[in-house]
Every structure is written in C-alpha cells, then in structure tokens.
Amino acid sequence: MPMTKYRYTGNTRQNKTIQIEFEAAKKNEARKKVALFEKKRGLVDGNLEEERIFIYKVSKNGGKPVKGEQRAYNATELTNALENLGYEVHRVEKKLFNFKGSVPTSEVVSFISLSADLLKQKLRFDEILKLISEDVTNKRMKQTIKEIEKDLKDGKDGDQVYGKHQGIFGKFTTYMLSVASTSGNMAEVFESTAKFLERDAEFKKNLRKSLLMPMITLFAVFGVVIAYVAYIFPKTAEMFVKFDIDLPPMTAATMDFSNYLEANWIILTISTLLPIIIAVIFFQTKKGRLWFDKHIIKIPIIGTLLHRTSIEIFSRVFYTLYSGSGENVDVIRIAAEASRNNYIEHRIKSIAIPMMLKDGAGLLESLEATGVFPKTALSRYRLGFESGTLKDNAKQLADYYEAQTSHKMEQTITSINAVISLFIMIVMIAITVISSETAVIQPNSPI
C-alpha cells in the first residue's frame, strides 16, 4: 500500500516545540502513531498535517506568470518558501483531484533493466536515477523515481525508500530493490529482478494467447450458435410449421431445441451464471485461491507449464539471494512468495521452513517433503548440494525450465489454435447442413 508523509508538531510540558515527520499508509494509522508519540514524550497541543500537492501561480521580476505543482504540508509554508526564492506569489491552493494514474509493467521492467545495464557500466545510482527520470514519459513513474532519488539522498533505508511504492513495483520487486540497496552486488540483483519481471510479463502474455483468445473465440461461436438457434432459424422454420409441413429430422430437432430455449431461458441463464459468480467469489478468498492454485498445476499441459514456471521463478530468486550461510530461511520464504502460486508458497512455508527451523532438517529434505518440487528440480538441487554448487545449480535449473516452458508454450498455442479452428469449422458445417436441409422441404401432397 502506498505510504503518505505526515508531520506532527507538539509541545512538551516545558513549552518546547517538537516536530516529527513520518510515513503511514492511512490517516488512522498516522493518528495511532501520534498517540504513541504524545504518550511516550509527554507532548500536548499537537497538530497533525498530511503532505499534499498544491498548485501555485507565481512570477518573478514582473515577468510572465508560471504555474506549477509542489508537495507541502500547508499553503502558508509553500507561499513563504516561494517568496524566499524571490517569487511574487499570485495563488497557492490545494489540488482537489490528484489522479495519479497507473504505471504499466513495461515501464517498471524498463526502469529496472536500464538500471542494471548502467550499474554494470559503473555509474552511480543517483546519476542513473537522474538520467532515467529525464526520459520517462509516464508522470507517476517520473515522480516515483524522483522520490526514490530524494529518499536515498536523505539516507533512508531501502525498506523505507521502496516500501511506499509497493503499489507500483509489487511486493516481490519492492523487496528485491530493498535488498539491492544494501547488497554488495547491486547490478546482479537488479539484473535478476529485471529477468524475473520480463519472464513474468512474457509468460502472462503467452498465457493470454493460449487461453484468453481461444476462450473469447469459443464464447463468440457459442453466442452465434445460440443466436442462430434461438432467433434466426425459428423465423425460417416457423413458415413451414404454419402450413403444417413435415420437417426433416435435423430441422425438427433444432426447432425443438429452440422452443426449449425460449421456454426455459430464465432458468438456463441463472443456472449458467450462478455457478460462475459463486466460483469467482470463492476464488477471491484465501482458501479459494489456495484450492485453485493446488488443482490448476495438475491440469495436463497448461498446468505443467504453470508448475514449471513457478519452480523456475523460485530457483531464479533463490539463486539471486542465496549466500550459502546465514539468513537463508528468509531467502526460501521470499522465493516461495515470488513463485506466483499460493499452493506452492503455502507448502514451502508450512512444511519446509518449519522442518528447517524446528526439526533441524536439511534444505533438500525439507523441499522434498513439500511434494511440490518435480524430480528434475530435486535432482539438480541434490547435485548442487553435494558438489557445493547449489547456487549455480539453482540458476541452471531456472534456465532449463525457462527454455523448456518457452518451447512447450509455443507448441501449446499452436495446438490450441488448431483445435479451435477445427471446432469452428465443425460448427459452421453443422449450421450450413441444417440450413441447407430446409431447401429440400416440400409441402404435403393434397389428399
């Protein structure tokens, strides 16, 4: 959740003024922090101000007035600051509507990838931020980069600097950037994060191509068939029924189906939509997401691709953060959270990590007990553990699964498109045959 800056001003019992600046996600959270300040330090007559965006109009030396925006705690403070800089202030007012806009994933990927490349060229990170902010066209991303630059210059910790931008970067990316700020190899962490985001975006794009477009096509074909059976076809067939003409088998069956739809469309609509609505609501719950992610990786072909991709991401993050000693339980936890599968994350957190912490079990034994790692992955981890190259083997496994899933995804997309094309052809042939049958209908011979 994005963080907002607040400023609290209060007086001690000795009438000494104390001013504190801090960040909070919500106003209620800010008030709770203020209550702690007042209780701990004995402050009274406190005033809490939220940092806001103000619009100003100023001129200098009788020149043409210019407009701008600036963050401040109140209008008076901003007015005084502008006057101290030699400006004549015409207007300062609070910005009523602050539409921040969204930041496309491509902008985030571009920022991190470019930062990684420039870090490899030994540029200082503050210089990199200035260069990138000048070229970024997205307003919110430009503002975010400037805030990061300012916070780093003020000496804030990585968690503080990037934590308030979690809504833009995402939970995992925010953590990785925080790690990078204190890492001895900042370029490598940025590069690995960029690789993760690129793979994530590529996989989602391919998944949409393999599932979303075919689903839209199927719904479109289904809609055409329903429209044909429920409206277009009856208009033609009713003429024959009106004159008591015997209908051919397929025409009669289609007419009966059309009448059934017309008579029961309310029940059919409710019975179709209700399970979908219930499923959508259920899958938005924690239990529902866990159930969905557990079973989706068991679906043939697509499920296997999703499973392998999650293990690939886990291995890539593990490779980036693993140090061989120390706080590697946190590494496993972060890698699990990045895997993009709630079930895999749950199994690692509820089985592997407790086994390592409470029972003193080894890494391989703990990962195997989760039941979510394929034999290939466990084999590579075992080989790396035995040879002392666990970190490198994790990267090799990630690269292997990347190549495998990319190749199989292309094959899957081609196969699905072929099946959809075949299905559309069958439906079109069926409609054509049924429509053509009406051409051979003959009136009953007079007796």
Side-chain angles (χ1 to χ4, degrees), residues 51 103 125 185 215 246 264 275 293 300 302 341 431 443:
E51 186 182 62
V103 178
F125 192 53
N185 197 345
M215 290 298 293
D246 293 334
N264 301 280
D293 284 353
I302 290 295
N341 184 288
I431 291 175

Side-chain angles (χ1 to χ4, degrees), residues 1-2 4 6 24-31:
M1 183 177 289
T4 303
Y6 293 90
K26 295 180 180 179
K27 193 71 175 281
N28 289 338
E29 184 183 327
R31 292 194 182 101

Side-chain angles (χ1 to χ4, degrees), residues 422-435:
L422 180 61
F423 175 75
I424 294 173
M425 183 184 70
I426 292 171
V427 171
M428 293 297 104
I429 290 174
I431 291 175
T432 303
V433 170
I434 294 171
S435 301

Side-chain angles (χ1 to χ4, degrees), residues 176-324:
M176 293 295 284
L177 296 181
S178 301
V179 169
S181 64
T182 57
S183 171
N185 197 345
M186 194 173 182
E188 183 179 344
V189 177
F190 264 79
E191 185 178 18
S192 297
T193 306
K195 181 70 174 177
F196 162 79
L197 292 174
E198 288 167 359
R199 282 286 296 143
D200 189 56
E202 180 187 359
F203 187 80
K204 287 179 180 177
K205 177 183 175 182
N206 289 333
L207 196 62
R208 284 194 295 269
K209 286 171 64 178
S210 64
L211 292 179
L212 184 61
M213 290 310 297
M215 290 298 293
I216 292 174
T217 303
L218 286 177
F219 275 116
V221 172
F222 181 74
V224 169
V225 171
I226 293 298
Y228 175 79
V229 172
Y231 181 76
I232 299 172
F233 182 80
K235 293 295 182 182
T236 304
E238 279 173 1
M239 293 188 299
F240 302 112
V241 174
K242 183 179 180 181
F243 293 103
D244 198 24
I245 298 173
D246 293 334
L247 300 177
M250 285 190 294
T251 303
T254 305
M255 193 65 187
D256 291 340
F257 183 55
S258 177
N259 292 333
Y260 174 78
L261 290 177
E262 185 178 357
N264 301 280
W265 71 270
I266 295 178
I267 296 174
L268 291 171
T269 301
I270 293 174
S271 61
T272 301
L273 293 179
L274 190 59
I276 295 174
I277 294 171
I278 292 173
V280 169
I281 294 173
F282 174 66
F283 291 140
Q284 287 179 341
T285 65
K286 184 177 180 180
K287 186 177 180 180
R289 289 193 298 269
L290 196 64
W291 186 93
F292 181 81
D293 284 353
K294 176 182 178 180
H295 291 87
I296 196 171
I297 60 177
K298 297 178 182 179
I299 297 174
I301 305 174
I302 290 295
T304 302
L305 289 173
L306 291 170
H307 191 188
R308 296 293 187 271
T309 302
S310 292
I311 301 303
E312 175 208 331
I313 294 171
F314 175 91
S315 301
R316 198 172 296 285
V317 176
F318 182 85
Y319 158 76
T320 304
L321 302 178
Y322 184 72
S323 63

Side-chain angles (χ1 to χ4, degrees), residues 44-198:
V44 294
D45 302 326
N47 179 40
L48 178 64
E49 295 175 294
E50 180 182 346
E51 186 182 62
R52 297 181 179 275
I53 297 178
F54 289 86
I55 302 172
Y56 62 82
K57 183 179 181 181
V58 298
S59 61
K60 198 168 189 178
N61 300 326
K64 184 178 178 181
V66 294
K67 296 180 180 179
E69 294 183 2
Q70 181 61 46
R71 290 181 176 274
Y73 289 106
N74 55 64
T76 303
E77 182 179 72
L78 179 57
T79 300
N80 293 336
L82 291 169
E83 289 176 348
N84 289 336
L85 291 172
Y87 289 101
E88 180 184 351
V89 180
H90 301 289
R91 186 178 78 250
V92 173
E93 57 188 24
K94 192 183 298 181
K95 190 175 183 180
L96 297 178
F97 302 102
N98 183 25
F99 297 110
K100 294 182 179 180
S102 60
V103 178
T105 304
S106 57
E107 288 280 358
V108 177
V109 175
S110 177
F111 164 66
I112 297 175
S113 299
L114 192 55
S115 297
D117 292 339
L118 294 175
L119 283 167
K120 286 182 178 180
Q121 297 176 27
K122 307 301 181 183
L123 265 73
R124 294 204 319 270
F125 192 53
D126 59 334
E127 294 177 350
I128 293 171
L129 292 173
K130 285 181 181 178
L131 285 171
I132 297 176
S133 65
E134 291 174 0
D135 294 328
V136 170
T137 55
N138 185 280
K139 289 184 178 180
R140 190 176 180 188
M141 190 65 191
K142 184 186 286 287
Q143 182 63 36
T144 299
I145 295 173
K146 288 182 177 179
E147 287 184 23
I148 291 172
E149 182 183 0
K150 180 180 180 300
D151 289 343
L152 288 174
K153 191 177 291 184
D154 292 342
K156 292 184 179 180
D157 294 334
D159 291 341
Q160 292 179 293
V161 174
Y162 298 104
K164 63 182 180 181
H165 305 298
Q166 187 172 312
I168 295 174
F169 294 119
K171 183 178 179 181
F172 169 73
T173 306
T174 300
Y175 175 83
M176 293 295 284
L177 296 181
S178 301
V179 169
S181 64
T182 57
S183 171
N185 197 345
M186 194 173 182
E188 183 179 344
V189 177
F190 264 79
E191 185 178 18
S192 297
T193 306
K195 181 70 174 177
F196 162 79
L197 292 174
E198 288 167 359

